[in-house]
Each structure stands twice: as structure tokens, then as C-alpha cells.
Amino acid sequence: TTVIEARDIALAFGETPALRGASLSVQAGEVLAVMGPSGSGKSTLLHCLAGILVPDAGEVLFDGQRVDRMGEAQRSALRRDRFGFVFQFGQLVPELTAEENVALPLLLNGVRRGSALAQARPWFARLGLDGLERRRSGELSGGQAQRVALARGLVARPQVLFADEPTGALDSLTGEQVMELMVTSAREQGTTVILVTHEPRVASYADREAIVRDGQARTLSAGSVAP
Ligand code: ADP
Ligand code: ADP
């Protein structure tokens, strides 16, 4: 079943068209990689699917609901309640501990502090971060910080995890470890993943790939992708 879909969406930043009639449909439980050259519109497409940006034309549907017709408050609630996010950099609050960072989405959902931290803790063992729970996140290495960010993206068991170049700031071995953990953890809890990357190695963790070029998207079935 389709969980999220863009139908012929267009969006321009002033005079710059970023999307020109992009369509994409994502199935529940799949890991979809969105690939394409820099500036082709990948991030903008992700932001439209996630209800961060609203397209100028076309439709965005999540679970059959028109996201593009929702107001900011409704989209914000959707992001908080249903979606998780992992970005390339600068997403952790450096003054908070690693476990507080992981617990943040739960705290924003009204979960009490004790319970939120208790739900955050198992992620440390799962992601190879034992002993780092109380470390200020500003003191973590790049790979550790990205695993903490991954835990934070998944801790509230979102229906969809949006990941924009999640390994872009990491060396390739660390990046592959993060991808392995992301895909395994998402599958365990049935979270759909939409992953923007320009690296074929990273995209190879996905079930399916979409290619964005000049603001339009096409999808390839598994196995049909040339490197
Ligand atoms: P990609 O993720 O594939 O690198 P983007 O979606 O970030 O592509 O960008 C698509 C186009 O839109 C590019 O020409 C980019 O410069 C432009 N763009 C993206 N975001 C903004 C913005 N906030 N303001 C102005 N132009 C933007
Ligand atoms: P990515 O494509 O990986 O998101 P970018 O460096 O293209 O990385 O974009 C980083 C941020 O800057 C994004 O939020 C994007 O919307 C914004 N951005 C991209 N291009 C422009 C631009 N030409 N003018 C203003 N903001 C932009």
C-alpha cells in the first residue's frame, strides 16, 4: 500500500524552478533512495513529501490525506506525530546529553521525562553507543553524533523516516555502518524510509531508487539501476 505520494508537484524559489511536475509514490515499509545530481530538486522533493514545504501546484498525499491542503499547524502536527528526520549536519542540540537528544521527539509528544529517557536508552546498545548516554552531544565524534541522530529519528516509531544525505558528513566506512543500522532498525519497526543521497554506495541499501533530474522524478525497480 502507498503511504506517501507526490502527484505532479511544482515548486519554484523565486525565479528558480526546483520541481517541475515531479511524481513519486512510496510503499509502506520500503526503503526508497532518491538520487540525482546536485541541484536537481531532491531536497525540495523530500521537504514537500515531509510537509516542510508546500508545492505551488500538484498534490502531496500521506495516508490518503492531502498534505498540500493542510495549514502549518496541521503539517507541524503530522511531522511531530508520524515522521522522523535525519539530516546531514547540525541537528543535535550540543548542550544536551546524547540521551536527552534521543528523547526529544518523545518530550515534544508530551511523554514525561523519565519515560522518554527510558525509551531512549535501549537505542544506545542497539546502535553501538553504550556508555555515551550522558555525553554532551557536542563532544561526540561525527559517526557517534549521526547514530544519535538516527536514534532520535526512530525513537518515536514514526511511520516515515526522512533522511537527507544522512551519511554526507561521514567517511565511507562510518557511513556504511550508519546505513546498515538505519535500514535494520527501520525494518524492525516497520518504518518506511525516504533517503536522499547522491552516493550509489548509500543508495544500494535501498529496496528501490527514484532518480530526480531537472525537477522531475522517475522510479526504477530494484536491480535495474546502473551504477
Ligand atoms: P538537491 O537536493 O538535488 O541538491 P535542491 O532541492 O536542494 O536540490 O535544490 C533544487 C534547486 O532549488 C537548486 O537550483 C537550488 O539552488 C534551489 N533551491 C533550493 N532551496 C532553495 C532556497 N531555499 N532558496 C532558493 N533556491 C533554492
Ligand atoms: P542539500 O541539497 O543537501 O539539501 P544544499 O546545500 O543544496 O544541500 O542546501 C542546504 C539548505 O540550503 C537547504 O535548506 C536548501 O533549501 C537551502 N538552499 C539550497 N540552495 C539555495 C539557494 N540557492 N538559496 C538559498 N537557499 C538554498
Side-chain angles (χ1 to χ4, degrees):
T1 58
T2 299
V3 61
I4 197 159
E5 193 175 358
R7 291 186 183 160
D8 208 19
I9 60 173
L11 188 149
F13 295 101
E15 300 288 287
T16 311
L19 295 175
R20 359 177 161 217
S23 298
L24 181 66
S25 154
V26 186
Q27 304 304 303
E30 80 172 330
V31 178
L32 177 78
V34 178
M35 297 199 67
S38 180
S40 59
K42 302 182 296 296
S43 291
T44 305
L45 177 58
L46 187 89
H47 292 162
C48 288
L49 290 170
I52 295 169
L53 289 173
V54 178
D56 302 326
E59 302 179 3
V60 176
L61 291 107
F62 168 73
D63 251 355
Q65 304 168 67
R66 286 286 296 272
V67 176
D68 58 284
R69 287 191 174 159
M70 293 177 183
E72 175 52 38
Q74 215 183 340
R75 283 184 286 111
S76 164
L78 182 68
R79 296 194 298 268
R80 191 187 61 218
D81 298 340
R82 305 278 183 207
F83 298 160
F85 295 91
V86 188
F87 295 116
Q88 183 171 357
F89 314 103
Q91 44 194 335
L92 300 179
V93 183
E95 299 79 17
L96 295 183
T97 64
E99 66 182 4
E100 288 168 339
N101 269 283
V102 174
L104 269 181
L106 300 170
L107 295 168
L108 293 175
N109 277 333
V111 176
R112 283 164 202 269
R113 181 177 167 86
S115 168
L117 290 174
Q119 289 178 63
R121 270 180 210 122
W123 284 95
F124 285 80
R126 201 172 295 159
L127 301 186
L129 294 166
D130 277 310
L132 297 177
E133 292 85 345
R134 304 284 166 85
R135 189 74 59 89
R136 302 233 169 266
S137 60
E139 293 162 10
L140 299 171
S141 74
Q144 289 167 347
Q146 211 52 353
R147 280 179 282 161
V148 168
L150 174 60
R152 189 174 68 179
L154 288 170
V155 71
R157 300 183 157 270
Q159 262 173 280
V160 183
L161 178 71
F162 293 93
D164 195 349
E165 301 280 7
T167 64
L170 306 178
D171 65 64
S172 61
L173 178 62
T174 311
E176 289 190 28
Q177 288 166 348
V178 167
M179 281 311 302
E180 187 77 50
L181 291 166
M182 178 185 296
V183 168
T184 308
S185 307
R187 288 198 206 286
E188 270 171 20
Q189 60 183 35
T191 295
T192 303
V193 178
I194 305 177
L195 161 72
V196 165
T197 181
H198 63 275
E199 296 177 72
R201 290 279 290 267
V202 172
S204 70
Y205 288 87
D207 301 315
R208 206 159 59 93
E209 300 188 9
I211 309 290
V212 178
R213 248 181 242 288
D214 295 330
Q216 295 187 319
R218 69 197 168 88
T219 41
L220 305 174
S221 51
S224 68
V225 183

